[in-house]
């Protein structure tokens, strides 16, 4: 991931202003340590901190059209750039960068080209011919982006809060799937999929179609000119991504440059569930596996750095970001610059354990839609910033636009948890990859119960955080919390502890408003808390708060744990008849093809 900062129409083209913009841009240098660029046109400044993934030799930014009248600074990857170049045959490209197509698409199609981009991106484009500009963010918000306004009438765009919070009167999260146009004077939504209206879909479940869509999503993300690997927690989502990557790596340009053996990475406390499961998957797939251990104290010592980089005080995000932050540093030290990960599947398929209590398919689907729409505030924010803190890029195939369209068109009745039929959470995804002839994963992993990342790295991690917070936050502090923090008042000592650190780094009211709030159980939205009356008395974002569902639910509150464990035994949830008739797939020069 790169870092971008744009200051537009600031009514100051002095040397002092240029120096200030450079100073602010350097706050994003961790995102792009490979090169820095700044373009100034009058009182407009476009800066870029580059992490070179595609065309490292010549793809420095900002990028330009032929006569340099259109300038763009981009953070992201455009996976269909080669296809788009073919539509722009009359244009001359300066670099081999995937992002080089953006200025030329603007020349050809005006502002209405963003939905042609297949990838993850945030960009600012300046048209020097009339001093107009546009800014846009990818469909789901995989890349982080903020917008702010100065008292002098300037508009600021930055990959992170720290690039603009000290110089803007007001700033906020740039909404995913939107375009900001100076000509129009505001936002307009460019991403309008069918599922966004939350209407209930009715397409029958076809496991082969779903499998093919995910295979395609992973394959297109193997586009790289630098060493890469996969994040492997041992859970279903990351394991499937690793399995698909391992199958299709051999036929890619990346394999020719860096070899055909895949590298996988996992982090956890000694003896944690994720370490054990990831090792099993790595052995099954034959990856070069890197296992990183951390202690509770290691994590606690990193909390302040994590909050500074992640820019949130949300409890579950900080819990999960800390191990990822530590792992990203280790990965980068090995010379790896890009990883592929499994974020997004739980939102799309209702994988969080609280979905077990969905009252009907309509509520199930609406909750899934709500979760996807909020990903940019939680898991996307975590994955993007925890890795970018060390100049590491993360790609997320489950959030591929076409894959989401396929998955969200399935009749949600098929996604519902029905234990009596052997259907646990994410059953449609598990079944799509349950291939007897060419197994993607061991059965024990394919049907492993959902484990949130902050739990899977080791249950004592969260317990240790709570204990640490209790030593620093008194009961009296909690009694006055609503007066100290009237916005999103902390309801636990752990939340209070994180909030005080966040406020030190980002004291502005605009900053605290960028963080979501409200009650949650096991990562649910506030609306889903209504599904079970008992949940309102046990609000905690950990999956272990899903009492009666998680096999290791909080012991002092769960009942009949033995029966729960028995109910979720792998042998009881694996369908009696496995899918052994789905053809296997491989990559050819023309893309994905099915082999009988």
């Amino acid at each position: 991931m790169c870092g971008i900062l744009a200051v537009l129409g600031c009514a100051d083209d002095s040397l002092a202003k240029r120096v200030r913009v450079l100073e602010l841009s350097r706050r994003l240098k961790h995102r792009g340590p490979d090169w820095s660029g700044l373009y100034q046109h009058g009182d407009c400044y476009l800066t870029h901190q580059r992490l070179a993934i595609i065309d490292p030799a010549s793809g420095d930014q900002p990028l330009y059209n032929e006569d340099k009248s259109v300038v763009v600074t981009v953070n992201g990857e455009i996976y269909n750039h080669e296809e788009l170049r073919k539509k722009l045959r009359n244009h001359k490209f300066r670099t081999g960068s995937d992002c080089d197509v953006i200025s030329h698409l603007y020349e050809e199609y005006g502002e209405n080209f963003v939905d042609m981009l297949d990838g993850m991106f945030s960009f600012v484009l300046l048209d020097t011919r009339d001093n107009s500009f546009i800014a846009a963010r990818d469909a789901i918000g995989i890349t982080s982006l903020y917008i702010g306004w100065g008292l002098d009438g300037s508009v600021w765009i930055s990959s992170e809060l720290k690039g603009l919070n000290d110089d803007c009167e007001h700033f906020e999260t740039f909404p995913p799937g939107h375009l900001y146009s100076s000509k129009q004077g505001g936002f307009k939504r460019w991403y309008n999929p069918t599922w966004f209206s939350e209407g209930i879909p009715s397409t029958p479940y076809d496991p082969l179609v779903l499998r093919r869509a995910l295979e395609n999503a992973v394959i297109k993300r193997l586009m790289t000119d630098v060493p890469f690997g996969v994040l492997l927690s041992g859970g279903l989502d990351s394991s499937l991504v690793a399995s698909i990557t391992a199958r299709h790596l051999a036929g890619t340009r990346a394999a020719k440059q860096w070899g055909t053996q895949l590298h996988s990475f996992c982090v956890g406390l000694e003896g944690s569930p994720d370490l054990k499961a990831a090792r099993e998957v790595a052995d099954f797939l034959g990856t070069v596996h890197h296992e990183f251990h951390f202690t509770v104290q290691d994590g606690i010592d990193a909390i302040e750095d994590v909050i500074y980089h992640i820019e949130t005080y949300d409890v579950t995000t900080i819990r999960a970001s800390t191990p990822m932050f530590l792992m990203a540093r280790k990965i980068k030290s090995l010379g790896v610059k890009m990883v592929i990960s499994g974020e997004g599947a739980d939102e799309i398929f209702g994988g969080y354990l609280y979905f077990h209590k969905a009252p009907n398919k309509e509520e199930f689907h609406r909750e899934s839609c709500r979760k996807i729409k909020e990903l940019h505030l939680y898991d996307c924010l975590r994955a993007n910033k925890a890795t970018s803190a060390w100049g590491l890029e993360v790609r997320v195939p489950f959030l591929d636009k076409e894959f989401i369209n396929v998955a969200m068109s399935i009749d949600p009745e098929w996604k519902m948890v029905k234990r009596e039929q052997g259907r646990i959470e994410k059953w449609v995804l598990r079944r799509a990859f349950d291939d007897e002839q060419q197994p993607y994963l061991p059965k024990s992993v394919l049907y492993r119960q959902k484990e949130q990342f902050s739990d899977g790295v080791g249950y004592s991690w969260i317990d240790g955080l709570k204990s640490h917070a209790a030593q620093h936050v008194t009961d009296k502090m909690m009694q006055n919390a609503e007066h100290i923090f009237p916005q999103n008042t902390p309801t636990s000592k752990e939340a209070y502890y994180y909030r005080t650190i966040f406020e030190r780094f980002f004291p502005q009211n605009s900053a605290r408003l960028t963080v979501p709030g409200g009650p949650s159980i096991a990562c649910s939205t506030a609306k889903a808390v209504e599904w079970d009356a008992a949940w309102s008395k046990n609000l905690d974002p950990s999956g272990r708060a899903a009492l009666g569902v998680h096999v290791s639910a909080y012991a002092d509150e769960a009942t009949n744990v033995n029966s729960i464990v028995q109910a979720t035994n792998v042998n009881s949830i694996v369908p009696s008849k496995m899918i052994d008739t789905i053809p296997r797939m491989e990559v050819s020069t023309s893309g994905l093809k099915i082999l009988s």
Side-chain angles (χ1 to χ4, degrees), residues 205-460:
Y205 167 54
D206 185 330
L208 179 55
V209 170
L210 187 64
R211 184 198 289 188
R212 185 185 298 117
L214 185 58
E215 297 248 27
N216 279 332
V218 172
I219 289 167
K220 72 176 67 170
R221 283 161 178 78
L222 301 182
M223 177 186 81
T224 178
D225 292 328
V226 298
F228 82 103
V230 293
L231 302 186
L232 180 59
S233 70
L236 175 68
D237 312 331
S238 66
S239 298
L240 281 178
V241 168
S243 178
I244 296 168
T245 302
R247 286 190 179 211
H248 297 294
L249 178 59
T252 66
R253 187 174 70 180
K256 294 176 182 178
Q257 290 181 288
W258 310 108
T260 58
Q261 194 163 20
L262 182 65
H263 287 252
S264 57
F265 308 95
C266 184
V267 67
L269 302 177
E270 195 79 48
S272 70
D274 277 3
L275 290 180
K276 179 178 181 295
R279 204 175 304 121
E280 180 183 1
V281 176
D283 289 343
F284 182 84
L285 299 177
T287 68
V288 179
H289 191 56
H290 307 266
E291 189 176 282
F292 305 123
H293 298 171
F294 77 103
T295 66
V296 172
Q297 190 60 53
D298 290 334
I300 289 172
D301 290 344
I303 288 293
E304 290 206 8
D305 284 341
V306 169
I307 292 174
Y308 173 75
H309 281 286
I310 307 302
E311 302 178 324
T312 188
Y313 50 81
D314 176 69
V315 170
T316 187
T317 304
I318 294 169
R319 288 176 176 179
S321 294
T322 306
M324 196 171 195
F325 176 85
L326 296 172
M327 175 172 59
R329 187 176 192 179
K330 289 281 192 179
I331 293 172
K332 187 61 184 290
S333 73
L334 297 176
V336 172
K337 296 179 73 173
M338 185 272 282
V339 290
I340 307 177
S341 190
E343 278 77 14
D346 289 316
E347 288 73 14
I348 294 169
F349 296 104
Y352 293 107
L353 298 184
Y354 73 89
F355 272 94
H356 283 233
K357 299 292 185 76
N360 52 57
K361 72 175 187 179
E362 290 80 12
E363 274 301 301
F364 187 106
H365 182 72
R366 293 188 188 106
E367 174 69 2
S368 182
C369 291
R370 289 190 292 265
K371 288 292 292 179
I372 296 172
K373 292 175 184 179
E374 293 182 353
L375 266 169
H376 68 288
L377 300 171
Y378 296 102
D379 284 18
C380 286
L381 179 144
R382 165 183 55 79
N384 180 280
K385 293 182 180 178
T387 53
S388 293
W390 303 107
L392 180 69
E393 176 173 290
V394 64
R395 298 180 181 177
V396 283
F398 280 107
L399 297 181
D400 179 82
K401 282 195 298 182
E402 183 55 36
F403 178 76
I404 294 176
N405 288 341
V406 169
M408 292 302 288
S409 68
I410 299 171
D411 186 335
E413 183 68 28
W414 289 95
K415 298 180 182 179
M416 293 280 286
V417 176
K418 297 186 177 181
R419 287 188 175 278
E420 68 280 3
Q421 298 178 26
R423 284 163 49 175
I424 62 170
E425 69 277 353
K426 292 187 286 194
W427 178 81
V428 294
L429 182 61
R430 301 175 195 272
R431 185 172 186 263
F433 286 89
D434 195 343
D435 188 331
E436 288 288 290
Q437 294 179 349
Q438 297 285 332
Y440 282 77
L441 294 170
K443 287 288 194 292
S444 58
V445 174
L446 191 61
Y447 291 94
R448 181 189 177 195
Q449 186 181 60
K450 163 64 186 173
E451 193 77 86
Q452 287 170 211
F453 184 57
S454 53
D455 287 323
V457 296
Y459 297 146
S460 59

Side-chain angles (χ1 to χ4, degrees), residues 5 20 24 27-28 146-149 156-158 160-172 308 311 502-512 514:
L5 171 66
R20 176 59 177 166
L24 294 173
R27 294 184 182 181
L28 309 177
Y146 298 87
I147 183 169
W149 294 268
W156 296 58
I157 312 285
S158 176
E160 295 186 1
L161 280 178
K162 59 184 67 69
L164 52 69
N165 66 307
D166 288 334
D167 289 59
C168 290
E169 182 68 13
H170 173 74
F171 51 90
E172 59 192 48
Y308 173 75
E311 302 178 324
F502 177 88
E503 296 275 345
R504 258 193 288 125
F505 291 130
F506 309 103
Q508 300 87 355
N509 187 55
S510 290
R512 62 183 67 101
T514 64

